[in-house]
Amino acid sequence: IEMLDISLQDLSDEVVAVTAFFHIHLPIPESVLAHESARLVLIFRREGDDWMIAHSGISIPFGIAGHGEVYPMNRLEERNRELEALVEERTCALKVANDALDAHRGQLEAEVLQRTAALSIAKEAAEAANRAKTIFLTTVSHELRTPMNAIMGMTSIAKMHATDPSLINRLGVIDKSSHHLLAVINDILDISNLESERLTLDNTEFKLGAMLDNLTGMLQRKTVGKGLHLVCEEMPEVKDLSLQGDPSRLEQILLNLADNAVKFTEQGSIFFRARFAECGQSRIQLFFEFQDTGIGIAKNDLMRLFYPFEQGDGSSTRKYGGTGLGLVISRRLAQLMGGNIQVISELGVGSTFTLTVRLNRIVSN
């Protein structure tokens, strides 16, 4: 250790500090500390005519004392005051920043509360408007169905007694148009009840075979009328199933999918498939598939099929007719039955709609 040769008696301060540097030499090649320097700090305190070592220690140099430099303790006190002032300055700056952050946080919380209240008001207004719309559509639908049933009934009676071919033809137009209008009214009533969650499903026993016979018969008549080829693939066990659920709503879904397959296919084939999978001793999952070689649907338009009053292409409504409610109602009914409707389609190639439902199975003893 290299120290200063200095007489402490010449120092007037009561407490002084003496520093010296020494080098650390370790027998370890390429060690980090092999050529490092450290500082030995000795602090002396005067007691009468003698000097006593009050404190000693080794530290890394921090710039206050140079090599062999002797400095009084008041320099340490000055440095300490400088550090305290720096800490106080930074503490004040931090406090200012925290105060600004708290103010900004408070402003954000106030804005969030304000916007939440505005959204709540808007949500209540939208729900009230939706309820009013549902009540209006339901009321109007009921009011329209009564005279429409009378028109259909009287038209049917008139057709039975008519003998003039021209009159029979005109009555046929009235009958066809009234049935179409009634279907539209029923769709509006269904979508209103579904949106207001007031539509409930029946739970009765039925045979699936009779429903499928009616469906394939309708498909046969319509495909023959358009010159289409029909292929029906049904598991033999499907027709023998005794189920418990809502047969009218299930048939409504199947007829809608079948009607769409025929409506949007000008040439080619329509394939209908029916199968099932066991879902436990008393539950069964049914699969129905309608595949056509029709106009197909663009990829970007697939999800629009299930929006109310929309079809894949706006021109389809004008060319093929319809309100765009059939698929919306069908999917929601399928979901109420524990299933869904999925679609795979390619524009100009055709579409495949798959219906799944879960129903209770009646097992005979």
Side-chain angles (χ1 to χ4, degrees):
I1 300 176
E2 179 184 357
M3 293 289 294
L4 281 179
D5 182 13
I6 186 170
S7 174
L8 296 178
Q9 300 294 336
D10 297 334
L11 299 175
S12 59
D13 294 282
E14 294 296 324
V15 179
V16 297
V18 179
T19 65
F21 289 93
F22 63 92
H23 294 285
I24 302 173
H25 298 281
L26 300 176
I28 303 175
E30 299 181 359
S31 171
V32 176
L33 297 175
H35 304 290
E36 290 295 326
S37 297
R39 179 171 57 199
L40 176 64
V41 181
L42 302 177
I43 298 178
F44 296 88
R45 182 180 69 252
R46 184 191 295 275
E47 294 186 1
D49 295 333
D50 299 321
W51 289 88
M52 306 294 293
I53 295 178
H55 176 73
S56 66
I58 298 175
S59 64
I60 297 175
F62 57 89
I64 293 181
H67 178 230
E69 180 181 350
V70 178
Y71 59 94
M73 287 302 293
N74 59 9
R75 180 68 185 94
L76 291 178
E77 294 173 356
E78 180 181 347
R79 178 59 177 166
N80 187 54
R81 286 192 297 271
E82 292 175 358
L83 292 175
E84 288 178 350
L86 180 61
V87 170
E88 184 177 358
E89 178 183 352
R90 294 186 177 180
T91 301
C92 290
L94 183 60
K95 184 178 183 303
V96 171
N98 285 336
D99 290 343
L101 183 61
D102 289 340
H104 185 60
R105 185 184 297 112
Q107 181 180 356
L108 287 178
E109 290 176 353
E111 290 181 1
V112 168
L113 290 176
Q114 182 179 3
R115 293 184 181 182
T116 301
L119 287 175
S120 178
I121 294 173
K123 179 175 178 291
E124 292 178 0
E127 290 176 347
N130 189 58
R131 287 192 298 269
K133 179 204 71 175
T134 300
I135 293 172
F136 170 76
L137 290 176
T138 303
T139 303
V140 170
S141 297
H142 280 298
E143 291 297 322
L144 289 175
R145 289 174 72 179
T146 300
M148 187 55 59
N149 286 325
I151 293 172
M152 293 169 61
M154 296 303 294
T155 302
S156 178
I157 294 174
K159 284 178 63 178
M160 292 173 58
H161 294 86
T163 56
D164 182 7
S166 177
L167 178 60
I168 293 175
N169 181 62
R170 293 171 184 173
L171 291 173
V173 173
I174 296 174
D175 186 60
K176 183 179 179 180
S177 298
S178 59
H179 275 85
H180 176 72
L181 183 55
L182 182 62
V184 173
I185 294 172
N186 288 334
D187 283 347
I188 294 175
L189 184 60
D190 280 345
I191 198 66
S192 299
N193 289 331
L194 284 167
E195 288 183 348
S196 61
E197 299 182 352
R198 294 193 300 176
L199 190 146
T200 57
L201 299 177
D202 292 335
N203 192 26
T204 59
E205 295 184 16
F206 66 97
K207 288 282 189 178
L208 187 60
M211 181 184 301
L212 294 181
D213 288 340
N214 182 45
L215 176 68
T216 54
M218 183 275 290
L219 273 173
Q220 186 68 40
R221 292 190 299 273
K222 290 194 172 185
T223 51
V224 169
K226 293 189 68 173
L228 302 175
H229 179 59
L230 174 65
V231 178
C232 296
E233 300 174 1
E234 303 171 4
M235 291 179 61
E237 299 87 349
V238 170
K239 287 191 173 183
D240 297 329
L241 290 174
S242 295
L243 304 173
Q244 189 174 39
D246 194 328
S248 63
R249 291 300 185 180
L250 178 58
E251 188 172 29
Q252 177 182 347
I253 302 173
L254 292 172
L255 290 175
N256 178 262
L257 295 177
D259 185 64
N260 282 345
V262 176
K263 180 194 298 184
F264 295 105
T265 303
E266 297 298 334
Q267 59 183 1
S269 303
I270 292 178
F271 297 86
F272 169 67
R273 302 177 182 91
R275 57 189 177 89
F276 70 92
E278 296 290 346
C279 298
Q281 295 181 349
S282 60
R283 295 281 287 177
I284 191 170
Q285 185 177 29
L286 298 173
F287 296 85
F288 303 97
E289 187 175 87
F290 295 87
Q291 182 181 0
D292 64 62
T293 58
I295 61 175
I297 306 164
K299 184 177 180 180
N300 294 336
D301 293 331
L302 283 176
M303 291 310 299
R304 292 177 55 200
L305 292 175
F306 301 99
Y307 293 156
F309 302 102
E310 290 202 27
Q311 292 183 341
D313 182 358
S315 61
S316 296
T317 303
R318 295 188 296 270
K319 181 177 180 180
Y320 296 99
T323 61
L325 291 176
L327 284 176
V328 180
I329 295 171
S330 296
R331 171 176 269 190
R332 295 189 184 180
L333 289 175
Q335 291 170 346
L336 288 177
M337 297 181 187
N340 204 355
I341 293 179
Q342 303 293 335
V343 56
I344 300 174
S345 185
E346 184 177 348
L347 190 63
V349 176
S351 306
T352 299
F353 285 82
T354 303
L355 165 68
T356 59
V357 293
R358 286 182 172 86
L359 300 172
N360 291 327
R361 181 181 181 183
I362 307 300
V363 180
S364 58
N365 296 327

